[in-house]
Amino acid sequence: MPFISLKYKPGLVRDVTNYTNKGGFYECDKIRFRSGSAEKIGGWLKYTSETLIGICRQMFNYITSFSDNIMWLGTNKKVYAEVGGNLINQTPFRTTFTTPTTDNCVDTTNGSTTVNINIVGHGCVTGDYVQISGVTGDPGGVPNAQINTNHEVTRVNDDNFTIVVTTAATSTVSNAGGTTITVGCEITPGPEINLIGYGWGAGGWGTGQAWGTGASVPVVIQQRDWWFDSFDNDTVMNIRNGAIYYWVYSATFSGRPVLLSSLAGASDVPDEAMQILVSQNDKHLLAFGATPYGGGDFDPLLIRWASQDQPEVWTPLPTNSAGFIRLSNGDRIVRALRTRQEILVWTESTLSSLQFTGTTDVFALQQLADNISIFGPRAVANMNNVTYWMGVDKFYTYDGRVNTLYCPLRDYIFEDIDYDQAAQIVCGTNEGWNEIWWFYPSLNSNANDRYVIYNFVEQVWYYGTIERSAWLDSPLRRYPQAIGNHIMYNHEQGTNDDILPMSSFITSSDFDLTTEAGSGEQFMLTKRIIPDVSFSGSTAATPTINMTLKPRNFPGAAYDSEPDLPIIETTVDQYTNQVFIRTRARQMGFKI
């Protein structure tokens, strides 16, 4: 028999059986398709040497008019501004204590690394963070530099709390530290993941339902998420379903964000907002999901906006452009996304368009679609004027109209997602490779540990495993950047998993070993394989691939289940002309 040329369709298909997908690929990890051929995805390298405290869910990048390239990072415990690879703690303060309240507030115990800070009515809880400065001398032999830094609170009483330092005290002292001490208490951290429980006490003291609530009522305490946007050189930010903060630009990053309501001239600022966003063309700050004008309970369908160029003024008056509008359908606003000509607004079941009118109404709403879904607030991204998002059971696009995006991996993906942690799903673009990425938590994980990619130029899908909690492909940065395991990485840089080799593979569906009619009844003796492999881009001195050939006689049979059909493993390098094997079977697949 002559050689059979095996030509494979690009992309992965998992929603049919392996044998049905003849001429295609069935499994993969850390590969992509380019010009119809499979190759490894790009590697990644650490961008910062520092680790983030908490789980980062949100990244936002902009450049000031003073050429500061700022990346804002929001974790469940901290807010950071990253500039030039340096992480600057910018977590808002809940309150700040100074002299005389803090005068000589430091106690130490001989031989202990625990330091007591005496402040009556400090309001901290265990796990809070405090920024201490101004301690003079070395109280109890503890270097003051170890106290004058950021600390996690390890224990609390009404009139004091404890922190831990590196150097054990050499003596016991009380009421030390001097009279220039400042203690800034940062806002209390939020949950890493969605916490789900039933009845009173779910999620911890003070965070669950009221006393006497029945245990049959589910309680969902949302993971801590941040939203960021720029307002000229400044930054606005908010905790999802929480307070709005404002950061005034400083070249030295000396000031932290403060409550927007604390700015001079502030009026009727929403106490809570699901998400803030700046309509950049007309300079309105909007809140999607907000407490109503005049006060009251949080309204998850209400959209409010501040007066033009006045992000602190939310009182609607004939002399300004502040105002509000309410969605008429849906249960709650899930996400707002700024696009070229409009702001798209999702509820859990509708998509609407918000547009600036320039009239006395300021903004107008138009519903674009109903009976749709969106998996979570960060499951959406925009690329080349097309918006892509993940629904609860399929994918969608919007390019002026809402369309279902065909995905041959649909069952494989949606049957292996932890729906309780849907808020963790993050969508991002990889513009250089024409890709949309979604990271999601599998059923066996409460954190993002898998990804799926859609290549919108080649219109193919592929998937794999990577732990990433946030992703941003900013045109202001050389590489796409992501957060994984508390580390910020550059992606598409090099070929490795940081400094370690990256393990990647692709597996074909089975193919018949003959092209003749009635091939299902025929066996084929295979003796040789001629590989066609490129090692372009490899930095190895002698690059190789491992090829596994998997013969079998029946689609339902397990590989290596028959003694005379063993799995065959071989190595191919750039000088391999042919590989000699010997197997006799009806069908065979391979893994590289």
Side-chain angles (χ1 to χ4, degrees), residues 84-148:
N86 299 310
L87 296 177
I88 305 168
N89 183 10
Q90 290 288 298
T91 310
F93 287 128
R94 172 179 52 81
T95 188
T96 300
F97 296 95
T98 58
T99 185
T101 304
T102 58
D103 289 354
N104 293 306
C105 63
V106 179
D107 297 344
T108 64
T109 302
N110 185 31
S112 175
T113 57
T114 298
V115 175
N116 197 65
I117 307 297
N118 300 300
I119 299 177
V120 176
H122 54 79
C124 292
V125 298
T126 301
D128 277 6
Y129 286 82
V130 294
Q131 184 72 39
I132 302 176
S133 62
V135 174
T136 57
D138 295 330
V142 177
N144 62 51
Q146 293 186 18
I147 303 175
N148 291 326

Side-chain angles (χ1 to χ4, degrees), residues 262-510:
S262 70
L263 297 183
S267 65
D268 291 304
V269 176
D271 295 327
E272 299 175 62
M274 190 288 294
Q275 176 192 349
I276 55 90
L277 183 149
V278 177
S279 180
Q280 293 290 355
N281 292 336
D282 47 275
K283 303 302 292 183
H284 284 89
L285 174 61
L286 298 102
F288 296 86
T291 46
Y293 167 62
D297 294 335
F298 175 81
D299 186 342
L301 290 175
L302 180 66
I303 303 172
R304 292 183 60 189
W305 57 88
S307 185
Q308 190 172 31
D309 281 319
Q310 295 179 292
E312 74 283 3
V313 177
W314 294 73
T315 306
L317 295 172
T319 55
N320 67 29
S321 59
F324 55 88
I325 194 170
R326 191 176 189 275
L327 291 169
S328 57
N329 293 321
D331 179 63
R332 60 188 173 86
I333 296 175
V334 177
R335 176 66 190 272
L337 179 69
R338 186 173 56 239
T339 63
R340 185 171 62 90
Q341 294 180 324
E342 58 194 340
I343 296 173
L344 297 176
V345 184
W346 284 263
T347 71
E348 80 296 338
S349 61
T350 67
L351 174 63
S352 299
S353 170
L354 183 73
Q355 293 184 311
F356 176 68
T357 63
T359 66
T360 55
D361 291 332
V362 188
F363 288 96
L365 266 174
Q366 178 185 6
Q367 184 169 299
L368 302 173
D370 60 5
N371 197 27
I372 62 164
S373 63
I374 184 170
F375 228 139
R378 296 178 303 129
V380 56
N382 190 72
M383 169 69 79
N384 297 338
N385 297 321
V386 179
T387 303
Y388 302 83
W389 73 94
M390 179 189 280
V392 298
D393 55 8
K394 61 180 177 179
F395 294 89
Y396 297 89
T397 65
Y398 172 74
D399 56 4
R401 59 180 296 177
V402 175
N403 304 289
T404 294
L405 180 61
Y406 170 71
C407 177
L409 305 174
R410 174 180 167 179
D411 291 347
Y412 177 79
I413 296 166
F414 289 100
E415 291 177 2
D416 189 32
I417 289 182
D418 185 346
Y419 279 69
D420 290 339
Q421 302 301 328
Q424 295 191 36
I425 296 172
V426 58
C427 178
T429 63
N430 192 348
E431 191 273 337
W433 295 93
N434 308 309
E435 294 170 340
I436 308 296
W437 292 54
W438 284 272
F439 298 92
Y440 63 93
S442 67
L443 282 175
N444 298 319
S445 174
N446 61 6
N448 290 344
D449 59 344
R450 295 183 183 273
Y451 69 86
V452 60
I453 298 174
Y454 176 63
N455 185 314
F456 54 83
V457 170
E458 304 206 18
Q459 298 184 355
V460 295
W461 293 81
Y462 28 100
Y463 65 90
T465 57
I466 300 179
E467 294 183 6
R468 295 293 182 264
S469 61
W471 174 284
L472 183 64
D473 183 13
S474 170
L476 308 179
R477 299 286 175 111
R478 182 176 178 183
Y479 300 103
Q481 295 182 302
I483 309 297
N485 298 316
H486 309 283
I487 298 292
M488 188 173 180
Y489 292 97
N490 280 342
H491 273 254
E492 306 299 337
Q493 183 176 10
T495 58
N496 290 331
D497 175 356
D498 197 26
I499 60 175
L500 300 175
M502 184 205 305
S503 177
S504 61
F505 73 88
I506 188 166
T507 302
S508 76
S509 296
D510 281 5

